[in-house]
Every structure is written in C-alpha cells, then in structure tokens.
Amino acid sequence: MISFLDLHKINLRFEEEFKNKFTDFLDTGYYILGSNVTVFEEEFASYCGTNYCIGVGNGLDALRLILEGYKVLGKLSNNDEVLVASNAYIATILAIKQAGLTPVLVASEDDTFNFNLNELSNSITSKTRAIMPVHLYGQLSPMDAINEIAAKNNLLVIEDAAQAHGAKNTKGQVAGNLGDAAGFSFYPTKNLGALGDAGAITTNDKELALVIEKLRNYGSSTKYINEYVGFNSRLDDIQAAFLRIKLPFLDADNNRRREIAKQYLSAINNPKIKLPSYNENETHVFHQFVIQVLNRKEFTNYLIQNEIEFLIHYPIPPHQQEALTEYSGLYFPITEKIHREVVSIPINTMLSSTEVKKIISVLNSY
Ligand SMILES: *Cc1c(COP(=O)(O)O)cnc(C)c1O
C-alpha cells in the first residue's frame, strides 16, 4: 500500500530534536507566548521576506484576524464584499463570514484552479473592498494581475497562503509577501506542519501587525488592559518550538515535491488523465498534485485495487455545502466540474522513487 501521507514518517527525522526541545520546554514552565513564539515569528517573517509575522492558533483564525484587524483600523466594515474563488477551501469563505463581511464567490479556471481574471474584474461592485486569492494546491494565484486589479479599484489583497509556504514568483518574492497581508496554516499536513494546530499572519503593514498582535490575545498587549474586543488565538509556544526545528528543511522538502511533480508531469501520458498545468517560471510547491478524470469513481476504485491511497480536494464546492445555503442558487459550471473530477495522488517528501515509479506505471495502465 502506498500511503497518501504518513505523518509519523514525515516527522520521524525530527523526533530527537523534538524530544530535546520538549525537555527544555518542560524546564522553562512557560507555555504561552514565550520566546519560541517570538523567535519563530522573526524567523518566519524573514523566510517570507516580510517585516512582520504574528503567530496565531490556526489558519482559519489567521485569515479572520487579518480581516478583524482591518476593521479595527477602519479599512473594512460590516457587510463589505470580499472576492474569493468559488473552488476555494471553505476556510477562506468562513473567515470572511465570521468577520461580518460578505464573501462573493468568483468563477475559477480548471487549468490552474485559480480565479478566472475576467470574472474577478466583473465581480467588483461599489461594495467590494478586498480580494482573497488562495494559492490552491501550492500554486501562486496570478498575483501581478490581481494586484493590478486591486490597485485600480482601491481594494485590499489578502493571500490565503495555507497551502503555499515557500512558493516564489518570478522575482523571487515568496508567498506571504505578495499582497497586503497573508494567512498561513501549519496544520500537520501542510508543507510546513506543526504537531497540532498552528497558524500565522505575515504583513509589511506595521499598524495592522500591531493591532493583530493584540487581537489574538484578548485585544491586549499589557496584561488586563484591553483595547479591543479581542480573541484567544495564540500560537502555542511548543508548536512554535517544533516549527522552528522544521522551517530550515522547508525549501529542500518543497524541492523534493517539485522533483516528484516533474516526474509525474513528464511520465504520465494517459489521455484519460488530465495533468495539472503550471507556470514553470514560478515556484509551485505542490502541496497537492491534483489530476482530473472524467469517471472518478471508476478511477479511484482502480487506485484502491492497486493499493495507492488518494484524497479528493475537495468533493463538494462551497456553494453546494449545507453550511452555505445562501449560495445554493448559484451555478459555477467549471467549479462544479473541478469538484467532480479532481483526485489528489500522493506527493510528499517521504515517497520513495520506487513508489513514484509504481504510481506512474499504474496511472499509465489505467
Ligand atoms: C488548511 C487551510 C486553511 C485553514 O487552516 P487551519 O489551520 O486548518 O485552520 C485555510 N485555507 C486553506 C487553503 C487551507 O488549505
């Protein structure tokens, strides 16, 4: 059986260091917003090339706190419209809703799984205040075009970079530094994953960073002095310690993912399988390798017979989710096609070259 993602194996190579760190951590007796958080924030900001990083509880909170921060600063207010891709993971949409704003779903393209740029422009109304591009599956959204549209219409650009740690554009700028602010998740399965929930915000906006630093901690920077109606969403110090151990290996891990992706792209040549397309001048970090097949049930049964694990990212588009019935009347043909046809095949640093070869040969024999 080729497993989709063996987290135990992924983290095994760090186990000794994790144990040592944990022993140090026990010795300090200091668990919340300790020095590991502060140092990780500096290290991750530096990795992304931004001036600021604020560690928070998870990716959903990271996205929400950016929006809440802009509300405190008066740059967003209730019921403002925020544009988001109709095939995004539901978290992006929930963050907008939870912040009291209105998500406006925009049609996507099935080659890149990103915004259709014409549709993006056409979706702007007098109430639109922000665009939230998701770098889905590890591929950057077309940020130059998005930033241009945003500049023309005076909109904020907030990246959902939860699947794109380390993805770079042609100028070498890294995800998290391609808009006004970005939200990251360090959920264990992400390219940079903690051993529990964790997230962060990156930005070059000093005012925003200062507000979010308080918002994540009850709206307070001095104990028992509360400036805003804040939240409790702090990055755990022990998770920050684990992330500090893993961050130096992120680029090498992303390179390995890209190597596997290149092997898949050059060797899989089955007309029944549509391969993902990407701009080779940018650094796709292949959080997922997502193919499309017309008869998905038949294909996934075939994978099961051949002992290759797979996942579906994602089976139901947001506008058809029970949680979002206000969108149930909408129709996004391309998005619906994406959700009917996508299959994620294994791609991670622990796949052996024998396993990669087996996957290629099984797919070519389908
Ligand atoms: C994982 C993910 C999130 C949410 O992250 P959590 O840490 O699970 O809250 C948000 N957006 C995208 C695109 C994701 O993949």
Side-chain angles (χ1 to χ4, degrees), residues 65-343:
L65 286 171
I66 293 168
L67 300 168
E68 299 282 355
Y70 279 126
K71 285 177 81 177
V72 168
L73 293 171
K75 294 193 179 178
L76 290 175
S77 40
N78 282 341
N79 304 319
D80 282 349
E81 291 178 357
V82 180
L83 304 180
V84 61
S86 53
N87 63 318
Y89 179 53
I90 197 166
T92 328
I93 296 163
L94 296 183
I96 300 167
K97 275 177 72 89
Q98 289 171 358
L101 309 168
T102 305
V104 173
L105 306 185
V106 178
S108 303
E109 290 185 350
D110 71 343
D111 284 334
T112 59
F113 306 109
N114 275 321
F115 282 128
N116 174 316
L117 290 168
N118 285 331
E119 294 291 334
L120 183 66
S121 292
N122 291 339
S123 305
I124 295 172
T125 71
S126 60
K127 290 169 83 179
T128 311
R129 294 287 174 272
I131 307 175
M132 284 183 93
V134 181
H135 306 313
L136 201 66
Y137 310 142
Q139 163 150 256
L140 292 179
S141 288
M143 293 306 291
D144 287 344
I146 291 169
N147 282 322
E148 202 176 300
I149 293 169
K152 251 189 233 156
N153 296 279
N154 199 21
L155 308 176
L156 295 164
V157 175
I158 298 151
E159 299 168 76
D160 179 340
Q163 302 190 356
H165 319 70
K168 292 187 191 77
N169 69 11
T170 52
K171 286 165 254 164
Q173 293 165 312
V174 184
N177 192 21
L178 306 173
D180 293 294
F184 284 90
S185 165
F186 306 116
Y187 184 80
T189 60
K190 309 287 179 177
N191 290 31
L192 178 61
L195 305 189
D197 277 310
I201 291 145
T202 54
T203 183
N204 292 311
D205 183 334
K206 184 174 184 179
E207 268 192 309
L208 180 72
L210 288 174
V211 169
I212 293 174
E213 212 179 337
K214 294 172 195 166
L215 280 178
R216 74 168 170 191
N217 188 29
Y218 289 102
S220 164
S221 57
T222 308
K223 217 170 178 148
Y224 308 129
I225 311 276
N226 304 86
E227 290 173 61
Y228 314 115
V229 180
F231 299 81
N232 177 356
S233 185
R234 302 167 292 225
L235 172 59
D236 260 345
D237 208 66
I238 189 62
Q239 297 303 339
F242 295 149
L243 288 167
R244 289 188 60 204
I245 291 168
K246 292 182 76 175
L247 179 59
F249 296 86
L250 175 58
D251 282 339
D253 286 2
N254 283 343
N255 283 337
R256 174 68 187 139
R257 286 172 183 272
R258 212 160 26 250
E259 251 172 48
I260 296 170
K262 282 189 176 149
Q263 280 176 270
Y264 284 160
L265 288 166
S266 66
I268 299 171
N269 55 7
N270 183 337
K272 287 197 249 174
I273 296 172
K274 184 177 172 194
L275 297 169
S277 57
Y278 77 105
N279 175 356
E280 289 195 40
N281 299 319
E282 296 193 328
T283 315
H284 189 328
V285 294
F286 286 99
H287 173 60
Q288 302 297 353
F289 192 91
V290 177
I291 59 177
Q292 291 169 85
V293 288
L294 279 180
N295 192 340
R296 182 165 64 193
K297 195 69 214 158
E298 178 196 275
F299 177 73
T300 53
N301 282 337
Y302 173 79
L303 290 182
I304 293 167
Q305 277 160 23
N306 285 282
E307 304 198 311
I308 296 173
E309 283 187 355
F310 61 89
L311 286 175
I312 308 288
H313 297 99
Y314 300 91
I316 302 172
H319 68 282
Q320 294 178 343
Q321 294 282 3
E322 244 179 273
L324 300 172
T325 49
E326 67 267 43
Y327 299 102
S328 62
L330 298 181
Y331 175 52
F332 293 105
I334 302 288
T335 296
E336 289 166 24
K337 178 174 176 292
I338 291 172
H339 289 263
R340 262 196 319 272
E341 297 183 355
V342 288
V343 180

